[in-house]
Amino acid sequence: MTSHPHPEATVPQRLRILLISSEVEPFAKTGGLADVAGALPKALAGLGHDVRVLMPKYRGVERHAGSLAPRVPGVQVPIAGRIAEGTLLEGRMGAGIPIYFLAQDQYYDREGLYGTGEGDYWDNCERFIFFCRAALEGLKRLGWIPQVIHANDWQAGLVPVYLETLYRDDPGLAKIATLFTVHNLAYQGVFWHYDMAMTGLGWDLFTPAGIEYYGKLNFLKGGLVFGDLLTTVSRTYAREIQTPEFGCGLEGVLQERSAALHGVVNGIDYEAWNPASDGEIPKGYTADDLKGKRACKAALQEELGLAQEPAPLVGMVTRLVEQKGLTLVLDALPGLLAEGVQLALLGSGEPALEQAFGDAAAKHAGRVAVRLGYDAGLARRIYGGADCFLMPSRYEPCGLGQLISLRYGTIPLVRWTGGLADTVKEFDPAKQAGTGFGFAPFTHEALLECARRALAVFRQPRLWQRLMRNAMAEDFSWEASAREYVSLYRKAVKAAAR
Ligand code: ADP
């Protein structure tokens, strides 16, 4: 009877991992999910794992994928009283990683990923039911079965549900463990209850303990209820989303799954973001030789029409939306200017915020510079040229701006929430330890008080240089995060084997 080895001994060193994501950089992107799905597989492959990726074949992916070879034709899924058929095509992403594109042109060969400017596609429920179920049907015939599926966000939320129900006894798929990651809790994939029939799942799942949510069908909830392990993109956000303030109505589900829920912070690409080799900044620099950063600051002041003086230059590169705490910046501005600060902001978003920052720039010419729009080059020159980087977010699942600014020795001033709280450490002048400055209350007074602490250090150039070096010595490359995912994959595989 006990001839099987103990499950703990059965998790091999080299894991087979399938990452399922509805967007992957560079093929298709609407948000941070695509960055993660593009970068994490490379880091996992770098650690020696057999990682592959699966996404829909949207219009235009060939531009980045090159020639695609049909791998599994005739993938059939019963849906809405008929059979929908797709094909798994195989291509390669960076580092030679196999990527499978699920082709079904009626669903995915469209102008947008989820909709157009007019709104979401009316059949998104059907499109992503097909995505989840066809991924598993295709996998059965691929000749390669992963030990763990890493499913992401609502679009892949039904994958763990199907594995635990319709495919529970499937000889090929039954043993696959799942890790489900939420990148943005605000997007849940909620559809009316009539769509339940299309899923092929029994109505017994349409309960508060299953995938029902206030009378509707909720894909994200499916992933959260049925995933073996759950993650989100920082430890603090993982705690925060279990509270009504941050839980978007799913806090109860997340509390129930608390033991399975982990936070793994996103990384950034340390080659793409490197002040020593960044072609967009006027002069390169390193932690050992910071002279170039002064040249970057002077050039940025000139580019933006800011007074050429040794004033502390605070940068911001951000979507102009409520989440980012921009009203605090507007309210704190007179106080910041009284402290001698210069502000350089690049962003686009809500018209009222664009207007307010435009007005501030007009009123304080030479002290406040605002550029509206998306500009990757200017963003880099701000990361390179500013002294501080301000992110007073109301909430922040992970945040990339503070990671980039640490890499560039541009000291983050942040609100202690989500990933900001996990990646920035308050500088202690006595110990000369820490990498930035933060504040907790969501008020402009707290922001101002935080800025004053930073400025007190800024006025001591040697201490400030020490702080810059501390920031630049941090490691938020993908490798460290990939190792955390691997240890969670192993844990999920062990749990699923029991
Ligand atoms: P979010 O994903 O919520 O917008 P993050 O901090 O996680 O916030 O990531 C935002 C990324 O987009 C950062 O790399 C930032 O530099 C970049 N970004 C935001 N707005 C702009 C802009 N207007 N121009 C160029 N880059 C921008």
Side-chain angles (χ1 to χ4, degrees), residues 109-361:
D109 183 21
R110 298 187 188 181
E111 182 187 333
L113 270 54
Y114 314 122
T116 62
E118 322 265 273
D120 286 349
Y121 292 129
W122 66 273
D123 56 351
N124 274 348
C125 186
E126 181 174 339
R127 296 171 77 222
F128 289 98
I129 287 172
F130 181 80
F131 177 57
C132 293
R133 200 162 167 192
L136 297 177
E137 288 292 337
L139 197 52
K140 285 206 285 190
R141 290 168 42 209
L142 190 60
W144 178 88
I145 295 284
Q147 284 127 345
V148 58
I149 289 181
H150 184 170
N152 293 273
D153 277 354
W154 74 263
Q155 297 88 343
L158 293 186
V159 168
V161 183
Y162 283 130
L163 281 170
E164 288 287 327
T165 55
L166 295 186
Y167 298 90
R168 199 183 169 82
D169 299 318
D170 185 281
L173 305 180
K175 287 211 169 69
I176 301 176
T178 55
L179 183 143
F180 182 68
T181 298
V182 184
H183 300 260
N184 194 335
L185 197 65
Y187 296 90
Q188 302 184 357
V190 176
F191 304 99
W192 68 344
H193 67 280
Y194 289 112
D195 286 341
M196 186 67 190
M198 272 195 300
T199 64
L201 297 163
W203 279 99
D204 56 324
L205 288 181
F206 198 74
T207 65
I211 58 181
E212 184 261 356
Y213 175 82
Y214 297 106
K216 293 187 168 163
L217 166 61
N218 185 319
F219 278 41
L220 191 82
K221 188 179 173 205
L224 296 176
V225 170
F226 288 92
D228 289 319
L229 286 184
L230 311 176
T231 68
T232 185
V233 289
S234 69
R235 285 195 174 82
T236 296
Y237 192 61
R239 276 198 307 278
E240 288 171 339
I241 57 178
Q242 297 178 49
T243 66
E245 190 185 348
F246 297 93
C248 300
L250 289 174
E251 57 273 12
V253 179
L254 289 157
Q255 282 162 21
E256 237 166 77
R257 300 260 15 230
S258 187
L261 173 61
H262 299 261
V264 181
V265 84
N266 291 335
I268 54 170
D269 182 334
Y270 265 45
E271 299 198 346
W273 297 103
N274 182 354
S277 59
D278 189 328
E280 292 285 350
I281 63 176
K283 198 153 174 25
Y285 59 95
T286 64
D288 293 331
D289 182 1
L290 288 164
K291 277 195 304 296
K293 188 155 175 64
R294 245 176 294 161
C296 290
K297 177 173 175 179
L300 182 64
Q301 286 174 320
E302 188 175 345
E303 176 178 355
L304 296 178
L306 293 166
Q308 298 269 335
E309 37 180 64
L313 175 51
V314 174
M316 297 187 77
V317 180
T318 183
R319 290 184 294 126
L320 295 177
V321 294
E322 203 271 340
Q323 178 203 337
K324 300 295 180 180
L326 293 149
T327 51
L328 298 190
V329 181
L330 290 167
D331 290 345
L333 197 55
L336 291 171
L337 293 172
E339 296 284 340
V341 163
Q342 291 184 348
L343 179 69
L345 178 141
L346 166 65
S348 65
E350 289 165 15
L353 287 167
E354 292 195 350
Q355 175 81 42
F357 278 99
D359 290 350

Side-chain angles (χ1 to χ4, degrees), residues 443-465:
T443 64
H444 73 274
E445 290 90 351
L447 189 164
L448 204 50
E449 195 272 326
C450 168
R452 289 199 182 106
R453 263 182 287 130
L455 295 176
V457 177
F458 182 78
R459 292 187 196 105
Q460 305 170 65
R462 292 186 63 142
L463 198 56
W464 189 259
Q465 284 209 352

Side-chain angles (χ1 to χ4, degrees), residues 317-319 324 346-347 373-376 379 383 391 396 399-401 404:
V317 180
T318 183
R319 290 184 294 126
K324 300 295 180 180
L346 166 65
Y374 192 91
D375 185 338
Y383 286 116
M391 285 180 78
E396 196 63 77
L400 293 178
I404 300 168

Side-chain angles (χ1 to χ4, degrees), residues 420-432:
L420 299 172
D422 294 355
T423 55
V424 177
K425 297 176 211 135
E426 178 77 21
F427 184 67
D428 177 345
K431 295 195 183 119
Q432 304 204 353

Side-chain angles (χ1 to χ4, degrees), residues 38-115:
L40 175 61
K42 289 180 204 157
L44 292 167
L47 296 175
H49 298 284
D50 179 0
V51 56
R52 307 187 186 190
V53 176
L54 191 152
M55 68 175 282
K57 183 179 172 289
Y58 298 112
R59 181 178 298 170
V61 299
E62 298 92 333
R63 261 191 313 220
H64 302 277
S67 70
L68 299 175
R71 265 302 293 272
V72 186
V75 178
Q76 297 191 335
V77 168
I79 198 163
R82 61 193 174 85
I83 300 285
E85 196 170 297
T87 300
L88 276 191
L89 304 169
E90 180 170 345
R92 289 279 182 275
M93 51 192 277
I97 295 166
I99 175 161
Y100 303 107
F101 293 97
L102 177 63
Q104 214 297 347
D105 286 351
Q106 277 166 334
Y107 290 143
Y108 308 126
D109 183 21
R110 298 187 188 181
E111 182 187 333
L113 270 54
Y114 314 122

